[in-house]
Amino acid sequence: MGMAIAAFSMAFLGLCLLLAILILLFRQNTKKPGPLLAASLSREHIILMENDATFLGRDRSGRTQARGRCALALTDTALHTLMAASRRRFNIPLKRITCVDMVEEIKNRRVQPPFLMVEFKTSQGVDAATWDVPVPALWENEIIKARRSARPDLVRRHGEEAEPLPLLG
């Protein structure tokens, strides 16, 4: 009987320890990534930041890409995204942004409300990324202003006529 109680106690303690580890991991992955992103950008001038955005994906990355909650920050050099769960980060340098728009259709599916879409050049060609942010018009205007201050000839809103864009290095 004493051995059975000891075995039960050990199994119970093991389960409690496993549950505590899972709770800690879950809490870490659901924390808002905004403070982490802001801390990593402390040397750059942050123009605009959203702690609770949703990354809806990139056009060229296919169905297996990470999507979900993220922090989004615009600095005077780049647009930064930090995913909440994976802590994966990617940046779009302002000099590579070619178009900014609010879209109501993603991959031929209507969406409400409009989302922020940023088109940019990569080594494989042109790509686009989409986010759900509370005020997409504000983000659109601020990205265009930041980009135009860097190179006024390259940024346009979707649908605007533009000269052929030179390749960016």
Side-chain angles (χ1 to χ4, degrees), residues 102-168:
M102 293 188 308
V103 294
E104 294 180 356
E105 189 174 289
I106 300 175
K107 298 192 182 200
N108 299 323
R109 297 175 76 190
R110 298 253 330 138
V111 292
Q112 275 310 93
F115 297 133
L116 174 70
M117 186 271 306
V118 175
E119 190 177 274
F120 55 98
K121 290 186 180 272
T122 68
S123 57
Q124 290 86 27
V126 177
D127 197 358
T130 309
W131 293 266
D132 183 7
V133 291
V135 187
L138 173 66
W139 279 89
E140 178 185 29
N141 289 330
E142 290 300 319
I143 292 168
I144 289 172
K145 276 198 292 189
R147 182 62 180 91
R148 282 187 174 153
S149 69
R151 293 270 310 269
D153 57 327
L154 297 182
V155 171
R156 60 184 168 83
R157 282 189 165 86
H158 187 71
E160 285 182 358
E161 292 299 319
E163 297 291 317
L165 298 174
L167 269 174
L168 300 175

Side-chain angles (χ1 to χ4, degrees), residues 37-46 75-77 80 89:
L37 184 58
S40 70
L41 299 174
S42 62
R43 294 182 185 156
E44 294 188 55
H45 174 68
I46 297 174
T75 66
D76 49 5
T77 60
H80 305 268
R89 179 178 170 173

